[in-house]
C-alpha cells in the first residue's frame, strides 16, 4: 500500500520562502518520478515540478528560477523549496509519484499538466502567500 506523506507548507508573506517535503512509503520502483502539483481555489490543478530517477528536474515556467525540487536524503523522498513567493502561488500543493520502465511518464516531463497518469497522490498541503 503506497502512501505519500507531505509536510511543510503554511502561511508566508510575499517574497518569503517555504519548504515542502514528501515521503513515499510502500513504494518500490527501479525507476521513479516524484513531483508536485498545485491547485488554487477555483482553479484547475497544475503541474509545478518533478524529478526523475536520473535526478533530472523540470519546472513549470511560472515557478522556474524560484522553486527548486530535489531528492531528499532518505530514499523515496522529495523536497520542494519555494522562494520569492507570490500571492498567486497560494494553493494546495500535492505530491505525486509513479514508477516507470523505459521513459518517465508524460506528467513527469511536464506534458500532462493536470496530472493525467499520476499513480500516487499525497493528501495535499496548503501554501498561503499574502
Amino acid at each position: 500500500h503506497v502512501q505519500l506523506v507531505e509536510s511543510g507548507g503554511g502561511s508566508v508573506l510575499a517574497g518569503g520562502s517555504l519548504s515542502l517535503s514528501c515521503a513515499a512509503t510502500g513504494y518500490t520502483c527501479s525507476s521513479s518520478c516524484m513531483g508536485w502539483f498545485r491547485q488554487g481555489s477555483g482553479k484547475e490543478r497544475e503541474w509545478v515540478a518533478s524529478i526523475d530517477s536520473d535526478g533530472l528536474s523540470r519546472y513549470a515556467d511560472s515557478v522556474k528560477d524560484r522553486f527548486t525540487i530535489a531528492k531528499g536524503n532518505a530514499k523515496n523522498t522529495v523536497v520542494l523549496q519555494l522562494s520569492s513567493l507570490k500571492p498567486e502561488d497560494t494553493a494546495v500543493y500535492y505530491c505525486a509519484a509513479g514508477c516507470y520502465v523505459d521513459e518517465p511518464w508524460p506528467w513527469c516531463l511536464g506534458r500532462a499538466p493536470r496530472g493525467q497518469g499520476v499513480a500516487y497522490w499525497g493528501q495535499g498541503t496548503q501554501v498561503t502567500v499574502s
Side-chain angles (χ1 to χ4, degrees):
H1 178 59
V2 177
Q3 281 191 307
L4 303 184
V5 179
E6 299 135 337
S7 60
S11 297
V12 66
L13 295 176
S17 299
L18 283 173
S19 181
L20 307 181
S21 296
C22 175
T25 59
Y27 184 62
T28 302
C29 300
S30 57
S31 297
S32 169
C33 185
M34 296 187 74
W36 295 88
F37 287 75
R38 68 185 181 184
Q39 187 166 17
S41 180
K43 299 180 181 179
E44 290 187 296
R45 181 170 54 198
E46 63 175 352
W47 172 74
V48 175
S50 59
I51 186 166
D52 64 23
S53 282
D54 294 329
L56 184 61
S57 57
R58 301 170 177 90
Y59 300 91
D61 287 343
S62 60
V63 306
K64 198 173 295 182
D65 298 327
R66 299 189 299 121
F67 292 8
T68 302
I69 190 170
K71 295 182 181 181
N73 292 328
K75 187 178 180 180
N76 293 329
T77 62
V78 65
V79 177
L80 184 68
Q81 183 67 34
L82 299 73
S83 60
S84 301
L85 282 162
K86 305 175 181 180
E88 51 263 43
D89 294 318
T90 295
V92 177
Y93 283 70
Y94 296 91
C95 182
C99 305
Y100 61 93
V101 177
D102 294 321
E103 294 183 358
W105 290 96
W107 71 264
C108 187
L109 304 177
R111 297 173 186 169
R114 304 292 175 251
Q116 303 95 314
V118 170
Y120 308 107
W121 292 98
Q123 79 283 0
T125 185
Q126 178 71 45
V127 171
T128 302
V129 185
S130 59

